[in-house]
Amino acid sequence: MNYNNILTAFKDGITTITINRPTKLNALNKATIQELHQAFKHADTDKNTKVIIITGSGEKAFVAGADISEFANFNATNGKKLAKKGQELLFDFIENLSTPSIAAINGFALGGGLELAMACHFRVASDNAKMGLPEVSLGVIPGYGGTQRLPQLVGKGRAMELIMTAGMINADQAHNFGLVNHVTSPENLMPLCQNIANKISRNSSVAISAAIKAINASFKDGVNGFKIEIEEFGNCFDTEDFTEGTTAFLEKRKAHFPGN
Ligand code: COA
């Protein structure tokens, strides 16, 4: 597929999506959000893709936010549409995909950039990364899920402070807060993410997608996560992956999951 704002690559079961607007610090404009939607959708439906890694091009930024130039003259109606469409197309979309996604945060992850990273299933940061939700310094609030996902990840008080101060935290603070799972050098960022992705790829993709559904259910209003877990747990028993996983264990060999 041809994209203007992103690059995609596939190797060893991993699709890597790189946001490629380095002169704008990879800011998320409408076109980029649309392309990211397509690329994630494509990777999710590709049976060979076991894990998706998303990162930013250049050494400075993962994503420095939604593209401010696109909404500077919006009114309330436009603002609501922007947030709704973005959440549906990209942020909620990624979170609910059955393919695991990892955000490799290689620099600034601000506003929509941090929201994008938080929509991924987990995050790894390079030690030069800086994260924050600075929207209130622009007279607006996070609109791509930031007010919901940040407290889920770091707790209400920390989220309140970070959003109210419009401040930035460094990678170590983000690690202490549980916002990122690992911190490493810029050179080791992609190898570390690939290494984690390889470990994920060895397991049953069917069971992993069931686990994503069950874990996400815990954060959804009006949904009983324990019930979803029972349902998803039960469904696993009818899969070829379950037969292969248990048979391989009993035969003392490595499982080769068919992914069905
Ligand atoms: N939207 C649109 N353009 C952006 C952008 C954004 N969110 N973030 C950066 N850019 C653009 C800048 O306008 C600049 O473009 P130009 O060279 O055509 O003028 C280019 O990216 C480089 O950014 P610059 O500000 O010169 O880099 P810096 O190193 O001095 O500062 C930041 C880096 C991240 C601190 C600064 O760019 C910034 O504060 N960005 C906005 C962050 C933000 O508020 N995000 C939330 C948006 S809702």
Side-chain angles (χ1 to χ4, degrees), residues 38-79:
Q38 287 306 330
F40 270 94
K41 191 170 164 188
H42 185 259
D44 189 54
T45 48
D46 168 22
K47 264 250 157 202
N48 295 317
T49 294
K50 302 295 177 196
V51 179
I52 303 166
I53 300 176
I54 178 159
T55 193
S57 72
E59 283 157 19
K60 216 166 152 184
F62 173 71
V63 171
D67 193 320
I68 297 167
S69 65
E70 278 192 348
F71 61 74
N73 62 355
F74 273 17
N75 62 17
T77 308
N78 301 141

Short mmCIF file of all heavy atoms in Angstrom, two decimals, residues 38-79:
data_model
loop_
_atom_site.label_atom_id
_atom_site.label_comp_id
_atom_site.label_asym_id
_atom_site.label_seq_id
_atom_site.Cartn_x
_atom_site.Cartn_y
_atom_site.Cartn_z
N GLN A 38 -5.57 2.73 8.19
CA GLN A 38 -5.43 1.73 7.12
C GLN A 38 -4.31 0.74 7.43
O GLN A 38 -4.45 -0.46 7.25
CB GLN A 38 -5.10 2.42 5.78
CG GLN A 38 -6.25 3.16 5.15
CD GLN A 38 -7.49 2.27 4.98
OE1 GLN A 38 -7.38 1.07 4.79
NE2 GLN A 38 -8.66 2.88 5.08
N ALA A 39 -3.17 1.28 7.89
CA ALA A 39 -2.00 0.42 8.12
C ALA A 39 -2.26 -0.56 9.27
O ALA A 39 -1.90 -1.74 9.20
CB ALA A 39 -0.76 1.27 8.42
N PHE A 40 -2.88 -0.08 10.35
CA PHE A 40 -3.19 -0.98 11.47
C PHE A 40 -4.21 -2.04 11.03
O PHE A 40 -4.09 -3.20 11.39
CB PHE A 40 -3.73 -0.19 12.66
CG PHE A 40 -2.64 0.28 13.61
CD1 PHE A 40 -2.08 1.53 13.49
CD2 PHE A 40 -2.17 -0.56 14.61
CE1 PHE A 40 -1.07 1.96 14.35
CE2 PHE A 40 -1.16 -0.15 15.48
CZ PHE A 40 -0.62 1.11 15.35
N LYS A 41 -5.21 -1.59 10.25
CA LYS A 41 -6.24 -2.52 9.79
C LYS A 41 -5.61 -3.61 8.92
O LYS A 41 -5.89 -4.80 9.06
CB LYS A 41 -7.27 -1.73 8.99
CG LYS A 41 -8.53 -2.47 8.66
CD LYS A 41 -9.53 -1.50 8.08
CE LYS A 41 -10.64 -2.23 7.39
NZ LYS A 41 -11.50 -1.28 6.67
N HIS A 42 -4.75 -3.17 8.02
CA HIS A 42 -4.09 -4.09 7.11
C HIS A 42 -3.24 -5.11 7.89
O HIS A 42 -3.30 -6.31 7.66
CB HIS A 42 -3.22 -3.29 6.13
CG HIS A 42 -2.60 -4.14 5.08
ND1 HIS A 42 -1.29 -4.55 5.14
CD2 HIS A 42 -3.11 -4.69 3.96
CE1 HIS A 42 -1.02 -5.31 4.10
NE2 HIS A 42 -2.10 -5.41 3.36
N ALA A 43 -2.47 -4.60 8.86
CA ALA A 43 -1.60 -5.49 9.65
C ALA A 43 -2.45 -6.47 10.47
O ALA A 43 -2.11 -7.64 10.62
CB ALA A 43 -0.70 -4.67 10.56
N ASP A 44 -3.57 -5.98 11.00
CA ASP A 44 -4.42 -6.83 11.85
C ASP A 44 -5.06 -7.96 11.05
O ASP A 44 -5.29 -9.05 11.58
CB ASP A 44 -5.50 -5.97 12.52
CG ASP A 44 -6.26 -6.76 13.58
OD1 ASP A 44 -5.61 -7.32 14.48
OD2 ASP A 44 -7.50 -6.82 13.50
N THR A 45 -5.34 -7.70 9.77
CA THR A 45 -5.98 -8.75 8.97
C THR A 45 -4.95 -9.66 8.30
O THR A 45 -5.31 -10.68 7.72
CB THR A 45 -6.91 -8.14 7.90
OG1 THR A 45 -6.19 -7.12 7.22
CG2 THR A 45 -8.17 -7.56 8.51
N ASP A 46 -3.68 -9.28 8.40
CA ASP A 46 -2.61 -10.09 7.79
C ASP A 46 -2.24 -11.21 8.78
O ASP A 46 -1.72 -10.95 9.86
CB ASP A 46 -1.40 -9.18 7.52
CG ASP A 46 -0.17 -9.97 7.17
OD1 ASP A 46 -0.30 -11.12 6.73
OD2 ASP A 46 0.94 -9.43 7.35
N LYS A 47 -2.50 -12.43 8.37
CA LYS A 47 -2.28 -13.59 9.26
C LYS A 47 -0.83 -13.72 9.70
O LYS A 47 -0.52 -14.29 10.75
CB LYS A 47 -2.69 -14.87 8.51
CG LYS A 47 -4.11 -15.29 8.83
CD LYS A 47 -4.06 -16.56 9.65
CE LYS A 47 -5.28 -16.81 10.48
NZ LYS A 47 -5.09 -17.69 11.60
N ASN A 48 0.10 -13.20 8.85
CA ASN A 48 1.52 -13.34 9.18
C ASN A 48 1.99 -12.34 10.23
O ASN A 48 3.06 -12.51 10.81
CB ASN A 48 2.37 -13.17 7.92
CG ASN A 48 2.09 -14.28 6.94
OD1 ASN A 48 1.98 -15.44 7.34
ND2 ASN A 48 1.93 -13.94 5.66
N THR A 49 1.22 -11.27 10.42
CA THR A 49 1.63 -10.27 11.42
C THR A 49 1.18 -10.71 12.80
O THR A 49 0.00 -10.85 13.07
CB THR A 49 1.01 -8.89 11.09
OG1 THR A 49 1.58 -8.42 9.87
CG2 THR A 49 1.30 -7.88 12.20
N LYS A 50 2.15 -10.94 13.68
CA LYS A 50 1.83 -11.38 15.04
C LYS A 50 1.87 -10.21 16.01
O LYS A 50 1.24 -10.25 17.07
CB LYS A 50 2.85 -12.44 15.51
CG LYS A 50 2.91 -13.68 14.61
CD LYS A 50 1.61 -14.45 14.62
CE LYS A 50 1.64 -15.64 13.67
NZ LYS A 50 0.30 -16.14 13.40
N VAL A 51 2.67 -9.19 15.69
CA VAL A 51 2.80 -8.02 16.57
C VAL A 51 2.99 -6.79 15.69
O VAL A 51 3.64 -6.86 14.64
CB VAL A 51 4.02 -8.16 17.52
CG1 VAL A 51 4.17 -6.92 18.41
CG2 VAL A 51 3.92 -9.41 18.39
N ILE A 52 2.42 -5.67 16.14
CA ILE A 52 2.62 -4.40 15.43
C ILE A 52 3.43 -3.48 16.35
O ILE A 52 3.10 -3.32 17.53
CB ILE A 52 1.26 -3.72 15.11
CG1 ILE A 52 0.38 -4.65 14.27
CG2 ILE A 52 1.48 -2.38 14.41
CD1 ILE A 52 -1.09 -4.22 14.19
N ILE A 53 4.51 -2.90 15.80
CA ILE A 53 5.28 -1.90 16.56
C ILE A 53 5.09 -0.57 15.87
O ILE A 53 5.18 -0.48 14.64
CB ILE A 53 6.79 -2.26 16.59
CG1 ILE A 53 7.01 -3.62 17.26
CG2 ILE A 53 7.58 -1.17 17.33
CD1 ILE A 53 8.46 -4.10 17.25
N ILE A 54 4.79 0.47 16.65
CA ILE A 54 4.67 1.80 16.05
C ILE A 54 5.70 2.72 16.67
O ILE A 54 5.94 2.69 17.88
CB ILE A 54 3.23 2.37 16.19
CG1 ILE A 54 3.18 3.79 15.60
CG2 ILE A 54 2.71 2.38 17.62
CD1 ILE A 54 1.80 4.24 15.21
N THR A 55 6.34 3.52 15.80
CA THR A 55 7.36 4.45 16.26
C THR A 55 7.33 5.70 15.39
O THR A 55 6.51 5.81 14.47
CB THR A 55 8.76 3.77 16.28
OG1 THR A 55 9.67 4.59 17.00
CG2 THR A 55 9.29 3.51 14.88
N GLY A 56 8.21 6.67 15.70
CA GLY A 56 8.27 7.90 14.91
C GLY A 56 9.60 8.00 14.19
O GLY A 56 10.61 7.47 14.66
N SER A 57 9.62 8.69 13.05
CA SER A 57 10.90 8.81 12.34
C SER A 57 11.69 9.99 12.90
O SER A 57 11.15 10.89 13.53
CB SER A 57 10.66 8.96 10.84
OG SER A 57 10.15 10.22 10.57
N GLY A 58 12.97 9.96 12.68
CA GLY A 58 13.85 11.00 13.21
C GLY A 58 14.23 10.69 14.65
O GLY A 58 13.74 9.74 15.25
N GLU A 59 15.16 11.52 15.17
CA GLU A 59 15.68 11.23 16.51
C GLU A 59 14.96 12.01 17.60
O GLU A 59 15.21 11.82 18.78
CB GLU A 59 17.17 11.58 16.56
CG GLU A 59 18.00 10.53 15.88
CD GLU A 59 19.34 11.06 15.43
OE1 GLU A 59 19.78 12.11 15.93
OE2 GLU A 59 19.93 10.41 14.54
N LYS A 60 14.07 12.90 17.18
CA LYS A 60 13.53 13.85 18.15
C LYS A 60 12.17 13.48 18.72
O LYS A 60 11.89 13.76 19.88
CB LYS A 60 13.43 15.21 17.45
CG LYS A 60 13.75 16.37 18.34
CD LYS A 60 13.96 17.62 17.51
CE LYS A 60 13.60 18.82 18.33
NZ LYS A 60 13.70 20.05 17.55
N ALA A 61 11.34 12.88 17.87
CA ALA A 61 9.95 12.72 18.31
C ALA A 61 9.35 11.37 17.93
O ALA A 61 9.61 10.85 16.84
CB ALA A 61 9.07 13.82 17.72
N PHE A 62 8.54 10.85 18.85
CA PHE A 62 7.58 9.79 18.51
C PHE A 62 6.47 10.52 17.75
O PHE A 62 6.39 10.43 16.53
CB PHE A 62 7.09 9.14 19.81
CG PHE A 62 5.98 8.14 19.63
CD1 PHE A 62 6.21 6.90 19.04
CD2 PHE A 62 4.69 8.42 20.07
CE1 PHE A 62 5.18 5.98 18.89
CE2 PHE A 62 3.66 7.51 19.92
CZ PHE A 62 3.91 6.29 19.33
N VAL A 63 5.70 11.33 18.46
CA VAL A 63 4.67 12.20 17.86
C VAL A 63 4.49 13.39 18.81
O VAL A 63 4.22 13.20 20.00
CB VAL A 63 3.32 11.46 17.73
CG1 VAL A 63 2.22 12.44 17.31
CG2 VAL A 63 3.39 10.30 16.73
N ALA A 64 4.65 14.61 18.28
CA ALA A 64 4.55 15.81 19.15
C ALA A 64 3.12 16.31 19.28
O ALA A 64 2.90 17.46 19.65
CB ALA A 64 5.45 16.92 18.64
N GLY A 65 2.15 15.46 18.96
CA GLY A 65 0.76 15.84 19.21
C GLY A 65 -0.09 15.83 17.97
O GLY A 65 0.40 15.55 16.87
N ALA A 66 -1.36 16.14 18.18
CA ALA A 66 -2.24 16.37 17.03
C ALA A 66 -1.71 17.61 16.32
O ALA A 66 -1.07 18.46 16.96
CB ALA A 66 -3.66 16.58 17.52
N ASP A 67 -1.97 17.69 15.03
CA ASP A 67 -1.45 18.83 14.27
C ASP A 67 -2.26 20.09 14.61
O ASP A 67 -3.41 20.24 14.19
CB ASP A 67 -1.52 18.53 12.77
CG ASP A 67 -0.72 19.53 11.96
OD1 ASP A 67 -0.76 20.74 12.30
OD2 ASP A 67 -0.04 19.12 11.01
N ILE A 68 -1.62 20.97 15.37
CA ILE A 68 -2.32 22.15 15.91
C ILE A 68 -2.83 23.05 14.77
O ILE A 68 -3.90 23.65 14.88
CB ILE A 68 -1.38 22.93 16.86
CG1 ILE A 68 -1.01 22.05 18.07
CG2 ILE A 68 -2.02 24.23 17.35
CD1 ILE A 68 0.14 22.56 18.92
N SER A 69 -2.08 23.07 13.66
CA SER A 69 -2.47 23.97 12.56
C SER A 69 -3.82 23.57 11.96
O SER A 69 -4.51 24.38 11.35
CB SER A 69 -1.40 23.98 11.47
OG SER A 69 -1.31 22.71 10.88
N GLU A 70 -4.23 22.30 12.16
CA GLU A 70 -5.48 21.84 11.56
C GLU A 70 -6.73 22.19 12.37
O GLU A 70 -7.83 22.12 11.85
CB GLU A 70 -5.44 20.32 11.35
CG GLU A 70 -4.72 19.92 10.11
CD GLU A 70 -4.93 18.46 9.76
OE1 GLU A 70 -5.45 17.67 10.59
OE2 GLU A 70 -4.55 18.08 8.65
N PHE A 71 -6.54 22.50 13.67
CA PHE A 71 -7.76 22.76 14.46
C PHE A 71 -7.78 24.13 15.12
O PHE A 71 -8.69 24.44 15.90
CB PHE A 71 -8.01 21.63 15.48
CG PHE A 71 -6.93 21.43 16.51
CD1 PHE A 71 -6.78 22.33 17.57
CD2 PHE A 71 -6.07 20.34 16.44
CE1 PHE A 71 -5.79 22.14 18.53
CE2 PHE A 71 -5.07 20.14 17.39
CZ PHE A 71 -4.94 21.05 18.43
N ALA A 72 -6.79 24.96 14.77
CA ALA A 72 -6.66 26.27 15.44
C ALA A 72 -7.92 27.13 15.29
O ALA A 72 -8.22 27.94 16.16
CB ALA A 72 -5.43 26.99 14.91
N ASN A 73 -8.67 26.97 14.19
CA ASN A 73 -9.85 27.84 14.00
C ASN A 73 -11.18 27.09 14.18
O ASN A 73 -12.21 27.53 13.69
CB ASN A 73 -9.79 28.50 12.61
CG ASN A 73 -9.81 27.45 11.51
OD1 ASN A 73 -9.78 26.24 11.82
ND2 ASN A 73 -9.86 27.86 10.27
N PHE A 74 -11.14 25.96 14.88
CA PHE A 74 -12.35 25.15 15.06
C PHE A 74 -13.32 25.77 16.08
O PHE A 74 -12.91 26.49 16.99
CB PHE A 74 -11.97 23.75 15.57
CG PHE A 74 -11.65 22.76 14.48
CD1 PHE A 74 -11.38 23.17 13.19
CD2 PHE A 74 -11.64 21.39 14.76
CE1 PHE A 74 -11.08 22.25 12.20
CE2 PHE A 74 -11.35 20.47 13.77
CZ PHE A 74 -11.07 20.90 12.49
N ASN A 75 -14.63 25.42 15.95
CA ASN A 75 -15.60 25.75 17.00
C ASN A 75 -15.97 24.45 17.72
O ASN A 75 -15.41 23.38 17.43
CB ASN A 75 -16.83 26.45 16.40
CG ASN A 75 -17.57 25.55 15.41
OD1 ASN A 75 -17.38 24.33 15.40
ND2 ASN A 75 -18.40 26.14 14.58
N ALA A 76 -16.92 24.55 18.67
CA ALA A 76 -17.25 23.39 19.51
C ALA A 76 -17.72 22.19 18.68
O ALA A 76 -17.32 21.05 18.94
CB ALA A 76 -18.33 23.78 20.52
N THR A 77 -18.54 22.46 17.67
CA THR A 77 -19.06 21.35 16.85
C THR A 77 -17.91 20.64 16.13
O THR A 77 -17.82 19.40 16.14
CB THR A 77 -20.07 21.89 15.81
OG1 THR A 77 -21.03 22.67 16.52
CG2 THR A 77 -20.76 20.79 15.06
N ASN A 78 -17.02 21.43 15.53
CA ASN A 78 -15.88 20.83 14.83
C ASN A 78 -15.00 20.05 15.81
O ASN A 78 -14.49 18.97 15.48
CB ASN A 78 -14.98 21.91 14.20
CG ASN A 78 -15.70 22.79 13.21
OD1 ASN A 78 -15.45 23.99 13.17
ND2 ASN A 78 -16.59 22.21 12.42
N GLY A 79 -14.82 20.61 16.99
CA GLY A 79 -13.97 19.98 18.00
C GLY A 79 -14.51 18.61 18.41
O GLY A 79 -13.76 17.64 18.52
#
